[in-house]
Amino acid sequence: MTQTLTTLGWSDHFARQVTLEDTQRPVRITAVHRSRLDGLTADGTPSLSPTVEAGRYAVGDWVIATGASASEPLERTTEITRRAAGEESKPQLIAANVDTLGIVTSCNADFNVARLERYLSMCAASGCLPLVILTKADLTDDVSDYIKQAESLSPVLTAIAINAKDDDDVARLGPWCNKGQTLALVGSSGVGKTTIQNRLTGQIDATQDIREDDAKGRHTTTNRNLRATTAGGWLIDTPGMRELRLVDAEDGVDEVFADITDLAVQCKFNDCAHRTEPGCKVRAAIEAGDLDADRLERWRKLERENRFNTATVGENRGHLKRLQKMYNEGKERGAAKRRR
């Protein structure tokens, strides 16, 4: 398929940020390596050298290439971020300039409302549209129950149930990845992300079966890539996430739990903890059967986690800035001494 900047996802949002010289060209990032960026243009697949640290680029970014050097990423339309896995107190970019985030889960033991709320909070914070993709629909007798549970979590959410091994079924995802649109897939290992990718892109990556005892799978995707879909758009597949820790997602959590936050502002006290305070609208809704008490606890957990992670990442950023300032001052003192 012949590509143009428009079919690659270029828009006025990016065009307004730059004035291109004859030696420059826009490039969309298809993969990020430690010291190299793979890219895609209307007429080639350049390999570029980053001009800032590689961790500041994400698959899906747009950069301006001058020769073999890539500029900093242009301002993004959307940015999917989590707190880095392990003990690192820093945000980790997952993907950029994604139109729809496909949250893949299975119609089996992998289906988990709390995990979906976590992904939806990340999605809302990123600015993407949410799409829940329910796989293994052919192995359950009541697909409608899974769809109902998923769609009850957000008024802007669409849920679709498919058999990931059926070409016609997977083709129903076409509207979310055609005509320059970018769809990113996230979810646990073994839920069928790679199988979906294979059918949407026509490329074959290895897949592995799930464990029957707990419906968990093994990692088959080990990095992120932007790939063309047969529908005319783009797909970003991501490795299965063993942990998804929110960061800078306050607005996303508030949006997903809008039923609770809307009630909270009506409470008698501004600092209501929604436990035993008089005039608490949240507790009143639970007692009336209009709000699930478990959902309130899940909201508390995500809100508390996001607040802690965001503060921790902020402290780490401040520490790194202080170290850099000390380094720069020491470097200047050393240079001054040499000039004497």
Side-chain angles (χ1 to χ4, degrees):
M1 179 187 297
T2 302
Q3 299 292 350
T4 66
L5 284 178
T6 301
T7 60
L8 286 172
W10 183 261
S11 66
D12 289 343
H13 170 84
F14 303 109
R16 286 192 295 266
Q17 299 179 46
V18 295
T19 300
L20 295 175
E21 299 179 1
D22 292 340
T23 58
Q24 297 178 320
R25 65 197 191 283
V27 179
R28 193 160 192 202
I29 301 303
T30 59
V32 177
H33 308 282
R34 288 187 177 180
S35 59
R36 180 173 55 83
L37 307 172
D38 294 340
L40 188 62
T41 67
D43 55 7
T45 55
S47 178
L48 303 174
S49 298
T51 51
V52 295
E53 59 186 76
R56 291 175 58 182
Y57 297 89
V59 173
D61 265 330
W62 279 98
V63 299
I64 302 303
T66 303
S69 296
S71 69
E72 293 186 28
L74 298 185
E75 179 185 324
R76 301 162 176 132
T77 56
T78 61
E79 179 181 297
I80 304 172
T81 308
R82 68 168 178 173
R83 178 176 166 175
E87 299 304 319
E88 291 186 281
S89 298
K90 65 179 183 179
Q92 179 187 25
L93 286 167
I94 297 174
N97 302 314
V98 171
D99 298 290
T100 303
L101 184 66
I103 304 166
V104 187
T105 185
S106 304
C107 297
N108 58 19
D110 180 77
F111 186 88
N112 183 289
V113 169
R115 187 190 303 127
L116 282 177
E117 288 171 338
R118 184 177 291 270
Y119 276 113
L120 288 170
S121 297
M122 179 182 72
C123 180
S126 75
C128 302
L129 289 174
L131 172 68
V132 170
I133 303 171
L134 298 160
T135 59
K136 309 186 192 301
D138 54 313
L139 302 180
T140 182
D141 296 328
D142 193 3
V143 170
S144 61
D145 181 58
Y146 287 100
I147 293 176
K148 182 179 179 181
Q149 287 188 69
E151 290 188 336
S152 69
L153 300 177
S154 170
V156 300
L157 182 152
T158 298
I160 183 170
I162 64 171
N163 173 5
K165 296 181 179 180
D166 184 284
D167 288 342
D168 292 336
D169 231 11
V170 175
R172 293 164 57 205
L173 299 174
W176 289 279
C177 56
N178 67 6
K179 299 178 181 178
Q181 293 289 299
T182 301
L183 169 67
L185 301 180
V186 294
S188 305
S189 299
V191 294
K193 297 193 305 297
T194 302
T195 303
I196 293 172
Q197 173 196 275
N198 289 345
R199 281 168 169 73
L200 285 177
T201 65
Q203 302 181 42
I204 303 300
D205 281 358
T207 61
Q208 293 186 9
D209 293 331
I210 63 170
R211 301 193 301 254
E212 293 184 2
D213 58 341
D214 58 4
K216 293 183 179 180
R218 304 176 182 86
H219 289 285
T220 53
T221 300
T222 56
N223 53 12
R224 303 175 186 90
N225 292 277
L226 178 76
R227 305 187 185 195
T229 70
T230 56
W234 302 94
L235 182 73
I236 299 175
D237 190 14
T238 65
M241 295 185 186
R242 286 193 167 85
E243 57 179 335
L244 171 60
R245 297 190 291 181
L246 300 180
V247 64
D248 293 329
E250 180 180 356
D251 291 343
V253 174
D254 286 348
E255 182 175 322
V256 172
F257 292 89
D259 53 339
I260 296 176
T261 55
D262 288 348
L263 287 170
V265 297
Q266 302 175 43
C267 291
K268 182 177 180 179
F269 301 107
N270 292 335
D271 59 349
C272 184
H274 318 303
R275 297 190 185 278
T276 59
E277 297 87 346
C280 175
K281 295 296 184 180
V282 175
R283 298 304 310 179
I286 292 174
E287 292 167 5
D290 297 328
L291 178 65
D292 183 3
D294 288 341
R295 181 164 166 82
L296 174 62
E297 290 307 312
R298 295 196 300 269
W299 169 71
R300 282 193 175 116
K301 179 179 180 181
L302 285 186
E303 196 271 338
R304 184 169 56 246
E305 173 191 313
N306 177 70
R307 187 169 59 248
F308 172 79
N309 286 341
T310 302
T312 303
V313 167
E315 290 170 0
N316 187 56
R317 285 174 177 155
H319 178 63
L320 291 176
K321 286 182 179 179
R322 289 191 293 273
L323 288 178
Q324 185 64 46
K325 182 179 179 181
M326 291 172 60
Y327 170 78
N328 291 340
E329 290 175 347
K331 189 175 180 180
E332 289 176 2
R333 287 194 297 270
K337 288 180 179 179
R338 289 192 293 270
R339 288 193 296 268
R340 292 175 183 170

